[in-house]
Amino acid sequence: MRRRLSSVSTPARLASPGEGLGLDELALATRNHGLPLEAMRHDITPPGLHYVLTHYDIPYVDNATTWRLTVTGEVRRARSYSLAQLRAYAAATTRVTMECAGNGRALLSPRPVSQPWLVEAVGTAEWTGVPLRLLLEEAGLTPNAVDVVFTGADHGVERGVEQDYQRGLALDVAAADNPEVLVAYAMNGTPLPPQHGGPLRLVVPGWYGMAQVKWLREINVVDAPFDGFQQSVAYRVRHAPEEAGEPVTRIAPRALLIPPGFPDFMSRTRVVATGLVKLEGRAWSGRAPVALVEVSTDGGCSWQKTELEPDHGHRWAWRRWSYCWSATPGDHVLSARAQDMAGTTQPLEQHWNLGGFANNLVQRIPVLCADPS
Amino acid sequence: MRRRLSSVSTPARLASPGEGLGLDELALATRNHGLPLEAMRHDITPPGLHYVLTHYDIPYVDNATTWRLTVTGEVRRARSYSLAQLRAYAAATTRVTMECAGNGRALLSPRPVSQPWLVEAVGTAEWTGVPLRLLLEEAGLTPNAVDVVFTGADHGVERGVEQDYQRGLALDVAAADNPEVLVAYAMNGTPLPPQHGGPLRLVVPGWYGMAQVKWLREINVVDAPFDGFQQSVAYRVRHAPEEAGEPVTRIAPRALLIPPGFPDFMSRTRVVATGLVKLEGRAWSGRAPVALVEVSTDGGCSWQKTELEPDHGHRWAWRRWSYCWSATPGDHVLSARAQDMAGTTQPLEQHWNLGGFANNLVQRIPVLCADPS
């Protein structure tokens, strides 16, 4: 079966220069979806507008009352929880901005052939659940514990490897209390919808989406670094296929503009009127708090500091920023860039890698300021 | 300004043979989204999984209590309603399957360059609102009334024409009582989400999505057939640009399979085990009730009748069908096709038109039945 399965998987590849997107990339783009950028006006992304990426199918869960979450492996007391049992713990709620590790991939040159995001694979929600550290404390780790492995109910093939989706976290991340990792059963105050991992998922504040295991059914504490497919094959920053690469972890700083004015249907070019235009958007970083957001209205030649709102106690959520632009007739290119308190900022030239991961190239929005005559 | 606006709009065009999708098509595909086909297991599409197409931006509605819907034009008593006033009418609820008129466009050859749907631009919801006929009765039509024009708050440019999204319906459709057109304020029992037209939209059971005007703010009764952009330029079935073309109206019959087994991440090819596999899916038609659904497991050479569930009183919603397939090792292509009581069925060869509208070519799903050895 392994030999035959490899026949359904195409090898990893880069698009040729000028090669448009294929039906395989489109099949991913039509079923997954990004945040329409105008929806960044909402502090919390309305239901259905948060980005979604599922590797395989969305599992069909007919009856959430029969769902079980097991905690096994290097623990003193293996556990199995129903949803009702998890809901009986004191609930924690955290506002988190999530971003796909492949956000921006389709703008890279050459383009890694995979889910083709432009810049919209992001969203912000209030997640409610049980802190993972409480479940790990209750199970009691053995001295051999090294990594915690999370298994979802989503099942498929990738590069010839049949698998349930699995990711690991080092103990210091999994058991941390700031931020707390959540075993979440609610999104914005209601049960998780199917595409966001219902009935149960992991939420790891500050990390890219691949760590946020959905349809969570098993937590397994292991005695060696986890080397499953999604940890050691996928989600590595590599420049050549033979490299082991660096793991993809926390979200790099990014600022995005809400495209101003109104769009053309097909080109998505924006049109604004002459005069003052309030530019606004969001900025976030999973590595350190955002320190500064700048905008450019001349394609990146010059940069102006924006008004950056405080985080209002939501360290792991995006922050709003704004800038008042005096638009003059003609064509303009708008950009924004964030810098975080670790000093990391966004590049004007792509930082390319083979998988198209953790790429935070600055956004460019062409705008026509229409002549009032 | 008209001259300059034309510079943001690209002309309508067809992709060249073998031309992959461009960034303009991708920009539409990442912000709009289809129904992941496995979600057809749900009678009512869960929030966030129903297909969405917005021509321009999703309007930002800060405070729905200030929203007004006006009824004007060829009426005896012009009206302006708040949401609270509309909610005071006896509510009607209808379960409706909606489909984008461009569903299937990206599979056409040559491909019309526009929103690139494969087959997933569909969804089913329970819509609640006021029957339009009651509002028209209350306003009282003059003898000059011909068409009813609906205007949304979404604003943009298309082929050089700046516009609010507008569509018209003939009086006999707008004022009908079977099916009733709804001015809807709720979807699945909750206020309309932003991307589905919140706070108010039109629901025209059986019609393609272009008729379902979202962010509805004006109903204008006019004394001549409406010839706005979305009526007379877009949404016409044409074979040459100079033709006036036929209007796109009611949904052609279509059956879709829930892809069985599990997928490969990138190719989306399905894998099933040898033995009995329950094939199931949905079928619908806006023209007449579905009479028959057949499946083929050999790429369309032979067809078998499926078990078709009754409509359970929901004439305007999709119906479930199923078929038990005995899968044998090897490669297979699965298809389904619906026939409605008007005798219309789905073609095996594309019925091409310039805009890629109302195309109901049968779906083809490649499946590998893996050798159990």
Side-chain angles (χ1 to χ4, degrees), chain B residues 36-334:
Chain B
L37 295 185
E38 66 271 24
M40 286 193 295
R41 291 201 175 87
H42 303 268
D43 290 333
I44 308 256
T45 305
L49 292 177
H50 193 290
Y51 99 89
V52 171
L53 179 86
T54 55
H55 278 237
Y56 316 121
D57 282 2
I58 300 168
Y60 180 69
V61 179
D62 193 23
N63 181 1
T65 65
T66 63
W67 192 269
R68 306 297 296 188
L69 173 67
T70 58
V71 181
T72 58
E74 295 294 336
V75 295
R76 301 191 190 283
R77 296 167 295 276
R79 285 281 190 266
S80 171
Y81 299 97
S82 68
L83 280 179
Q85 287 170 321
L86 292 172
R87 284 207 193 88
Y89 286 80
T93 296
T94 310
R95 186 180 298 188
V96 176
T97 294
M98 282 188 196
E99 183 177 6
C100 183
N103 201 13
R105 179 185 288 125
L107 294 170
L108 294 177
S109 178
R111 183 181 77 249
V113 172
S114 183
Q115 164 70 41
W117 297 118
L118 296 166
V119 296
E120 62 294 298
V122 65
T124 297
E126 300 259 7
W127 302 97
T128 300
V130 186
L132 176 62
R133 63 183 174 83
L134 295 186
L135 299 183
L136 295 177
E137 275 169 27
E138 188 166 282
L141 302 177
T142 75
N144 299 329
V146 171
D147 270 9
V148 186
V149 180
F150 305 91
T151 304
D154 42 336
H155 184 89
V157 197
E158 215 161 331
R159 310 291 176 220
V161 181
E162 186 178 346
Q163 59 192 283
D164 293 335
Y165 189 88
Q166 283 191 314
R167 282 280 305 184
L169 284 176
L171 263 192
D172 63 331
V173 177
D177 60 2
N178 185 23
E180 281 177 337
V181 174
L182 294 182
V183 173
Y185 47 74
M187 180 184 190
N188 304 327
T190 62
L192 297 183
Q195 71 274 32
H196 289 291
L200 213 56
R201 73 174 298 169
L202 205 66
V203 173
V204 190
W207 284 58
Y208 282 114
M210 77 281 146
Q212 326 279 343
V213 177
K214 298 190 286 260
W215 311 290
L216 183 65
R217 57 177 186 74
E218 188 182 278
I219 296 173
N220 186 26
V221 182
V222 294
D223 64 1
F226 178 61
D227 66 352
F229 181 91
Q230 302 295 342
Q231 207 88 12
S232 60
V233 180
Y235 296 113
R236 308 289 291 197
V237 175
R238 290 188 184 91
H239 295 87
E242 63 277 11
E243 289 176 18
E246 290 299 312
V248 179
T249 58
R250 290 181 171 82
I251 299 174
R254 190 192 293 268
L256 289 178
L257 274 152
I258 297 171
F262 56 83
D264 176 74
F265 170 68
M266 193 65 224
S267 72
R268 307 313 291 178
T269 299
R270 312 295 304 191
V271 179
V272 301
T274 304
L276 293 181
V277 176
K278 186 179 184 189
L279 300 181
E280 52 182 333
R282 303 282 177 170
W284 61 92
S285 169
R287 301 183 181 178
V290 172
L292 174 71
V293 177
E294 296 168 296
V295 299
S296 171
T297 60
D298 57 8
C301 294
S302 66
W303 293 87
Q304 284 76 38
K305 191 177 166 180
T306 71
E307 281 288 323
L308 177 63
E309 279 195 9
D311 72 7
H312 301 295
H314 300 292
R315 156 65 190 104
W316 303 105
W318 57 24
R319 286 164 67 185
R320 187 192 293 268
W321 56 264
S322 61
Y323 175 80
C324 201
W325 174 41
S326 181
T328 52
D331 292 295
H332 305 274
V333 174
L334 308 183

Side-chain angles (χ1 to χ4, degrees), chain A residues 258-269:
Chain A
I258 297 170
F262 57 82
D264 176 74
F265 170 68
M266 192 65 223
S267 71
R268 307 312 291 177
T269 299

Side-chain angles (χ1 to χ4, degrees), chain A residues 49-211:
Chain A
L49 292 177
H50 193 291
Y51 98 89
V52 171
L53 179 87
T54 55
H55 278 237
Y56 317 121
D57 281 3
I58 300 168
Y60 180 69
V61 180
D62 194 22
N63 180 1
T65 65
T66 64
W67 193 267
R68 306 296 295 187
L69 172 67
T70 58
V71 181
T72 58
E74 295 294 336
V75 294
R76 302 191 191 282
R77 296 167 295 275
R79 286 280 189 269
S80 172
Y81 299 96
S82 68
L83 280 179
Q85 286 170 319
L86 292 171
R87 284 208 193 87
Y89 287 81
T93 295
T94 310
R95 186 180 298 188
V96 176
T97 294
M98 283 188 196
E99 183 177 5
C100 184
N103 202 13
R105 179 185 288 124
L107 294 171
L108 294 176
S109 178
R111 182 181 78 249
V113 172
S114 183
Q115 164 70 40
W117 297 119
L118 297 167
V119 295
E120 61 294 298
V122 65
T124 296
E126 300 259 8
W127 302 97
T128 300
V130 187
L132 175 62
R133 64 183 174 82
L134 296 185
L135 300 182
L136 294 177
E137 275 168 27
E138 188 166 281
L141 302 177
T142 75
N144 299 329
V146 171
D147 271 8
V148 186
V149 180
F150 305 90
T151 304
D154 42 336
H155 184 89
V157 197
E158 214 161 332
R159 310 292 176 219
V161 181
E162 186 177 346
Q163 58 192 285
D164 293 334
Y165 189 87
Q166 284 192 313
R167 281 281 304 185
L169 285 177
L171 264 192
D172 64 330
V173 176
D177 60 1
N178 184 23
E180 281 177 336
V181 175
L182 295 181
V183 173
Y185 46 74
M187 181 183 189
N188 304 328
T190 61
L192 297 184
Q195 71 274 31
H196 289 291
L200 213 56
R201 73 173 299 168
L202 205 65
V203 173
V204 190
W207 284 58
Y208 282 114
M210 78 279 146

